[in-house]
Amino acid sequence: MLNYRNPRLLRREILRVLNFYYPDCIDTRYGGYVAQLDERDGFIYDGRTKHLVATARAVHNFSVGALIDGPVWCRTAAEHGLSFLSNHQWDVENSGYDWILDGRDTADNTRFCYGHAFVVLASARALEAGIPGAKTELERAVKTLDRHFLESEQGVYADRADGEWEAVAPYRGLNANMHTCEAMIVAYDVTEEDRYLDRAYGIAERIARDLAAETDGRLWEHYDADWTHDMEYNKDQPNHQFRPWGYQPGHHLEWSKLLSLLAEFCDDPWLESAARDLFDWAIETGWDDEHGGFYYTVDEDGAPVVADKYGWAITEGIGAAALLGRDDEAYLDWYDRLWEYGESDFVNPRHGNWFERLSPTNDRDDPNRGMAVEPGYHPISNAFVAMDAF
């Protein structure tokens, strides 16, 4: 197996994923990106749909490419996408980012905290890469998040609102807050403005310490408007694409990574301790000893609910293990093991991109097509984290 503790190989990993998407992802007709590329061969199956998260993630990805001195097109591609976010995904009349566009026309203007968080992440990373307009976009995205989603007394964020900001849905979720925390960590790292660190720490403290204490240190996904655990939410839809019932080992790994990153800026012992506990639980409960990979969801007793394997969970484990491994060599053993599994099962041997989902026995059962795609964000961001760790 290749030695992925070598930053040069991690850089190669980032660039081979970017090369899968570029140049076909550059939309010269409507602007922005064509994100819906078949993960098997790069065939464009939808050239019109613009999903906010896919656009923001691609801006982030190409900004990372520029930061690691990738080809010159990394910078121009990041500029191309950020311009689209600013001028077309942003709804001037209602002051929010549209969720889905058809070309340049609004198809769904629901305001999702999750989507706005990714604009914060994208613009922060673009600012780090020196992309014009990134600072202005960062400030606008943060202002919008805090104005409409932040629940100051709780220190966390609501999930979604209608397009005119007239009604906020009662659902509260871990996922939107996790990615808002991630975005604020990056924003702080880039700008050194304390307000971003305060936001990130507040989210982590409420979710990964206080609320997790109510479920024996594990992270439940779903809450009501008062931030009470909703243990029945989507129990009848365990395969829901975005809000499945159950505990997600992959999100425990992702929070482990975020807490490790926060610990670099905040001298609070609970952060490192919780990061280790979350990673250890994901390994002990979520890892499939027979076939490899992490179960998508498990129940309260740790039994698999949805046993499908997702590539993003492997890459989040890689990022978390790289950070934890700075103080404990045992985590680097898992770092190597996760890379080995990822390379053998999830990486497209022809093109170098990562497949999104596999069956419980690591078979590719369908092309995983849809609007809400994964444009290489997880393998790129975690390889970037690992580069810094080593």
Side-chain angles (χ1 to χ4, degrees):
M1 185 188 116
L2 295 173
N3 178 18
Y4 279 101
R5 302 185 194 184
N6 184 335
R8 288 181 298 176
L9 287 179
L10 292 166
R11 179 180 182 274
R12 190 203 70 169
E13 170 70 15
I14 292 171
L15 293 179
R16 73 175 180 173
V17 175
L18 289 175
N19 270 294
F20 172 75
Y21 291 96
Y22 186 88
D24 292 344
C25 72
I26 302 298
D27 189 342
T28 57
R29 181 180 182 185
Y30 299 109
Y33 306 112
V34 176
Q36 289 78 20
L37 277 64
D38 190 300
E39 61 186 10
R40 298 166 299 178
D41 56 16
F43 170 76
I44 295 173
Y45 60 86
D46 178 354
R48 294 180 60 93
T49 302
K50 312 291 182 185
H51 195 289
L52 177 59
V53 175
T55 300
R57 283 177 168 178
V59 171
H60 168 275
N61 292 351
F62 286 117
S63 297
V64 169
L67 286 167
I68 63 171
D69 296 321
V72 67
W73 49 256
C74 291
R75 183 171 300 278
T76 57
E79 292 173 353
H80 180 79
L82 187 65
S83 175
F84 189 84
L85 272 179
S86 300
N87 296 307
H88 300 293
Q89 210 96 35
W90 175 258
D91 178 352
V92 175
E93 181 179 357
N94 294 297
S95 297
Y97 295 95
D98 285 341
W99 186 237
I100 297 174
L101 302 182
D102 178 12
R104 292 183 177 179
D105 299 324
T106 301
D108 183 350
N109 68 352
T110 306
R111 312 299 179 200
F112 283 92
C113 175
Y114 181 82
H116 285 65
F118 270 105
V119 178
V120 173
L121 178 70
S123 52
R125 196 65 81 194
L127 176 60
E128 185 180 12
I131 305 302
K135 184 172 179 57
T136 299
E137 204 62 40
L138 172 61
E139 292 175 349
R140 179 163 72 176
V142 171
K143 180 180 179 180
T144 306
L145 260 179
D146 282 358
R147 178 181 180 186
H148 294 290
F149 293 110
L150 179 62
E151 299 180 319
S152 299
E153 293 184 2
Q154 296 277 3
V156 281
Y157 290 73
D159 190 74
R160 68 188 185 277
D162 65 275
E164 290 72 38
W165 300 109
E166 293 177 353
V168 175
Y171 174 85
R172 301 290 183 269
L174 177 147
N175 200 18
N177 280 275
M178 180 177 69
H179 284 291
T180 303
C181 181
E182 174 190 33
M184 295 296 179
I185 292 172
V186 174
Y188 173 72
D189 191 28
V190 172
T191 67
E192 297 185 341
E193 294 185 29
D194 289 342
R195 58 182 174 135
Y196 298 129
L197 183 60
D198 291 343
R199 290 282 184 265
Y201 183 84
I203 296 169
E205 183 179 42
R206 182 69 177 123
I207 298 245
R209 191 185 71 176
D210 298 345
L211 290 173
E214 300 176 17
T215 46
D216 297 324
R218 296 170 296 173
L219 302 172
W220 190 247
E221 298 286 323
H222 313 297
Y223 304 85
D224 64 20
D226 296 323
W227 283 95
T228 299
H229 289 75
D230 186 348
M231 307 303 288
E232 299 299 314
Y233 188 88
N234 275 351
K235 196 167 187 177
D236 59 343
Q237 300 183 65
N239 286 294
H240 193 283
Q241 183 178 2
F242 300 111
R243 296 175 185 166
W245 181 86
Y247 291 99
Q248 291 192 48
H251 278 172
H252 286 67
L253 297 167
E254 200 159 355
W255 273 106
S256 173
K257 180 187 74 174
L258 295 180
L259 297 184
S260 293
L261 290 171
L262 266 177
E264 297 178 5
F265 307 120
C266 304
D267 187 21
D268 269 340
W270 78 268
L271 291 168
E272 294 182 356
S273 175
R276 290 190 297 270
D277 290 345
L278 292 172
F279 188 97
D280 293 348
W281 180 87
I283 294 296
E284 292 166 6
T285 306
W287 182 258
D288 183 344
D289 289 323
E290 181 178 1
H291 301 291
F294 294 103
Y295 304 121
Y296 186 40
T297 54
V298 300
D299 66 16
E300 298 98 320
D301 297 322
V305 177
V306 177
D308 290 349
K309 312 297 169 51
Y310 280 80
W312 66 263
I314 300 302
T315 62
E316 290 300 329
I318 285 169
L323 295 172
L324 293 171
R326 294 175 299 185
D327 298 317
D328 188 338
E329 183 76 18
Y331 290 105
L332 293 183
D333 293 338
W334 269 105
Y335 175 85
D336 295 337
R337 185 174 179 180
L338 292 173
W339 266 119
E340 183 177 12
Y341 170 73
E343 285 284 354
S344 66
D345 289 274
F346 271 101
V347 174
N348 185 333
R350 181 175 180 184
H351 297 291
N353 60 302
W354 284 59
F355 297 118
E356 179 184 353
R357 188 187 77 246
L358 301 177
S359 75
T361 54
N362 299 317
D363 298 314
R364 293 191 292 277
D365 52 359
D366 62 52
N368 296 321
R369 292 182 176 181
M371 289 188 299
V373 294
E374 164 57 76
Y377 162 73
H378 285 284
I380 286 174
S381 62
N382 285 290
F384 191 53
V385 166
M387 282 183 69
D388 186 60
F390 293 114

